[in-house]
Amino acid sequence: MTTPLLELRDVAKHFAGVRALDGVSLSIMPGEIHCLAGENGCGKSTLIKVVSGVHAIDRGTVLFDGVDPGPLSPRAAIAHGVQVIYQDFSLFGNLTVAENLSIGSELRERRRVVSWRRMREHAEAAVRRLGVHLDLDATVDSLPTSGRQLVAIARALMADPRLLIMDEPTTALTGREVATLFGVVRDIQARGIAVLFVSHKMREMLDISERLTVMRSGKVVAAGPIADFDEAAITRAMTGLEIPDDPYDWEPASGTTAPLLEVDRLGVPGELDEVSFSIRAGEIVGVSGLLGSGRTELALALFGMRPRHTGTVRMNGEPVRLRSVRDAIARRIAYVPEDRLTEGLFLPETIDRNIVATSLDALSRFGVMRDAAAAQAAADTIRDMAIATPTGDRPVMQLSGGNQQRVVIGRWLLQDPRLLILNGPTVGVDVGSKAGIHRAIRRLARERGLGVLMISDDLPELVGNCNRVLVMHRGRLHAELPGVRTADGAEALRRTERELGDRLKALA
């Protein structure tokens, strides 16, 4: 019988009395793609840091090739062939690709004088080994997320790893980029390198992994060959709950005539070309498309961030001017950006302050904040959006991704919007929190009569929550797919997802 490359036996880790890992056992075989799944806070990150030598264990054993190496340090873990690619990639954004790829070897070899030719040769060898094209002279900050990820993978492979740990590697990737990444991962496996693929995206787990381990509350709750699982089984293991996948049923209110939003031949030079569609009150309309399709530019134009646009936008039948964000807010249009960490939140500030940030005028009198009113508004939002926190005084950076997203959405709801634009509403959010956000969006559309424009790469998210899905390509509206109703059944959902996926593949 083959000895596992890595084995954890009854591993426990505590932080200030909190059990982050509680008797975890796990094995990874040489050359295996093993998926580690679980909701945020389940212990995945702690396990990664134990294997990579960042955290010392309180109980249990960590074995490499059946041997206990003793206390692990990051240096010792690397010596045993462990390389970790974290979500932030840990790259130097102001340096070139070649410099990022070579700096590790320069430090390991204790070079005192930089040889640009030697560094470039090392970088070229790394990219050649990965089998992809990268501009070695480009700064990392200028690359798309997928490019930065390839740099991180190439750098990790330079250390001749035996186990490559990838922490949520597809969080910010489009469907096409995910397919490219999976090809790279399978090439890595073909060289005998094991991959621990950490994710909470069920479709990806089923597609890429050979074995699966699911964690919840610091414990392993399910493990086995991937053939033993389907999406429902993974969801139950991750959450302990049955989460229905019923689509959002919507019918226009009786007596309604004019749509809430009408977009007629909207254009932005170099970005959008005569895009036309409409949204009615209570309707959720999805937008999909490949990278560069113009979907984010569409959102920015409707939020007043593309003032040089052409065409006509109407709200409730009346033409509106959207030349600035102030114009959009005045027309009760709200926008939740794709990257909540850099564009949507003031991370060091409290939850309360983040919630009221867009309502300062309404909560002030003669330029002075009414503290009691602000506190009540924040408390009401925390309750209505089911934000999991004991108090609003905590820094928002301490919340999970799902709760941070609820803060961003809840902030805009204080403005009583008529149109809510969601760009990647559940990016980086675990399955339980994702279901909660979907329920909140549906409730707001149904009860408040909001029109919702949902932009996403997550095909099940679009098909399950939207009444129609618009497909964009090169700045134009390429196709429109009708939604699925509950009465149509689960197979209709899957069929529409496949059709949407096939259309996107055809555009690639």
Side-chain angles (χ1 to χ4, degrees):
M1 183 176 178
T2 305
T3 302
L5 168 62
L6 170 71
E7 186 175 6
L8 277 65
R9 296 179 182 173
D10 194 31
V11 168
K13 179 64 182 177
H14 300 75
F15 296 100
V18 176
R19 294 182 179 182
L21 298 177
D22 187 4
V24 170
S25 295
L26 167 74
S27 64
I28 300 176
M29 307 304 292
E32 175 186 44
I33 301 178
H34 193 122
C35 188
L36 179 63
E39 295 196 283
N40 293 334
C42 72
K44 301 191 303 291
S45 295
T46 302
L47 187 148
I48 292 172
K49 290 178 180 178
V50 163
V51 173
S52 59
V54 176
H55 291 328
I57 60 177
D58 298 327
R59 186 188 78 233
T61 308
V62 178
L63 306 174
F64 286 95
D65 301 309
V67 177
D68 183 352
L72 271 181
S73 65
R75 186 183 295 273
I78 291 171
H80 284 284
V82 177
Q83 285 287 317
V84 183
I85 301 174
Y86 291 102
Q87 292 184 54
D88 63 359
F89 305 138
S90 301
L91 299 172
F92 299 97
N94 61 323
L95 300 184
T96 67
V97 171
E99 290 166 339
N100 270 276
L101 292 175
S102 305
I103 193 168
S105 60
E106 294 290 303
L107 292 173
R108 283 193 299 271
E109 296 170 12
R110 298 185 178 183
R111 302 275 188 183
R112 302 184 66 179
V113 178
V114 173
S115 168
W116 298 109
R117 185 177 66 181
R118 180 181 61 245
M119 291 181 68
R120 191 169 186 87
E121 288 173 352
H122 284 175
E124 288 173 345
V127 172
R128 197 162 49 244
R129 182 179 184 185
L130 189 59
V132 298
H133 172 74
L134 287 169
D135 182 356
L136 299 181
D137 296 319
T139 59
V140 164
D141 271 347
S142 69
L143 299 178
T145 302
S146 56
R148 295 197 296 272
Q149 188 169 70
L150 290 174
V151 174
I153 295 172
R155 187 180 63 180
L157 293 180
M158 292 179 73
D160 293 321
R162 301 176 65 210
L163 172 62
L164 183 62
I165 301 175
M166 306 182 76
D167 187 12
E168 303 287 359
T170 64
T171 295
L173 301 186
T174 65
R176 183 181 183 182
E177 291 169 337
V178 170
T180 300
L181 173 64
F182 281 7
V184 171
V185 170
R186 291 188 177 103
D187 287 343
I188 291 171
Q189 179 192 28
R191 302 174 200 171
I193 300 171
V195 178
L196 181 61
F197 194 91
V198 183
S199 180
H200 54 245
K201 296 184 178 181
M202 290 174 288
R203 297 292 174 87
E204 294 176 2
M205 302 175 204
L206 294 169
D207 188 15
I208 192 65
S209 60
E210 296 167 314
R211 285 200 300 149
L212 173 67
T213 297
V214 183
M215 295 184 64
R216 187 170 76 242
S217 301
K219 298 180 179 181
V220 172
V221 294
I226 197 65
D228 293 347
F229 295 88
D230 58 17
E231 289 187 49
I234 297 172
T235 299
R236 284 194 300 271
M238 289 173 65
T239 67
L241 303 170
E242 292 281 355
I243 298 178
D245 59 356
D246 295 335
Y248 174 62
D249 281 339
W250 171 84
E251 290 288 348
S254 59
T256 57
T257 53
L260 170 68
L261 172 75
E262 292 177 277
V263 177
D264 184 23
R265 292 179 293 178
L266 181 65
V268 175
E271 296 179 347
L272 299 176
D273 186 8
E274 295 196 342
V275 174
S276 300
F277 66 97
S278 64
I279 301 177
R280 293 182 178 271
E283 188 178 18
I284 303 175
V285 175
V287 180
S288 185
L290 303 175
L291 188 67
S293 65
R295 54 189 196 172
T296 294
E297 290 74 16
L298 172 63
L300 296 178
L302 293 175
F303 197 56
M305 298 181 69
R306 292 293 187 269
R308 294 179 56 237
H309 68 255
T310 58
T312 304
V313 178
R314 295 181 178 88
M315 296 283 290
N316 295 314
E318 297 183 1
V320 297
R321 175 186 173 90
L322 298 174
R323 302 296 179 182
S324 67
V325 172
R326 186 180 295 274
D327 286 345
I329 293 174
R331 293 294 179 174
R332 297 166 66 187
I333 298 174
Y335 175 55
V336 176
E338 186 173 20
D339 188 344
R340 60 179 170 269
L341 297 182
T342 60
E343 299 177 345
L345 293 168
F346 304 100
L347 291 174
E349 295 294 339
T350 66
I351 299 166
D352 286 350
R353 288 189 175 185
N354 271 274
I355 288 173
V356 302
T358 57
S359 304
L360 299 181
D361 289 342
L363 296 171
S364 300
R365 180 174 295 168
F366 305 118
V368 178
M369 175 70 74
R370 293 180 292 144
D371 292 339
Q376 188 61 54
D380 290 346
T381 300
I382 290 172
R383 182 197 64 232
D384 294 344
M385 292 301 298
I387 298 168
T389 179
T391 173
D393 292 334
R394 297 173 61 198
V396 75
M397 67 174 63
Q398 293 182 3
L399 294 178
S400 68
N403 283 299
Q404 288 178 345
Q405 191 73 330
R406 292 169 190 255
V407 169
V408 180
I409 295 173
R411 168 202 295 162
W412 283 111
L413 294 180
L414 286 178
Q415 298 286 321
D416 191 24
R418 299 292 292 124
L419 175 67
L420 180 61
I421 304 171
L422 302 167
N423 195 352
T426 59
V427 169
V429 174
D430 60 54
V431 64
S433 295
K434 178 183 290 189
I437 290 173
H438 290 163
R439 285 194 298 270
I441 293 169
R442 294 180 182 200
R443 174 175 53 82
L444 292 165
R446 183 178 290 113
E447 296 178 3
R448 293 198 186 187
L450 266 71
V452 179
L453 187 67
M454 180 185 289
I455 302 169
S456 179
D457 288 312
D458 189 332
L459 303 191
E461 176 173 64
L462 290 175
V463 174
N465 290 283
C466 299
N467 312 111
R468 292 176 287 130
V469 179
L470 311 177
V471 180
M472 295 195 64
H473 182 58
R474 296 181 178 176
R476 299 181 67 92
L477 185 57
H478 175 76
E480 178 178 318
L481 274 66
V484 179
R485 300 179 62 85
T486 301
D488 297 333
E491 180 52 37
L493 276 173
R494 304 292 175 261
R495 187 168 57 250
T496 305
E497 287 173 23
R498 289 194 295 270
E499 182 182 353
L500 179 56
D502 289 344
R503 284 180 179 269
L504 293 173
K505 288 178 182 177
L507 296 175

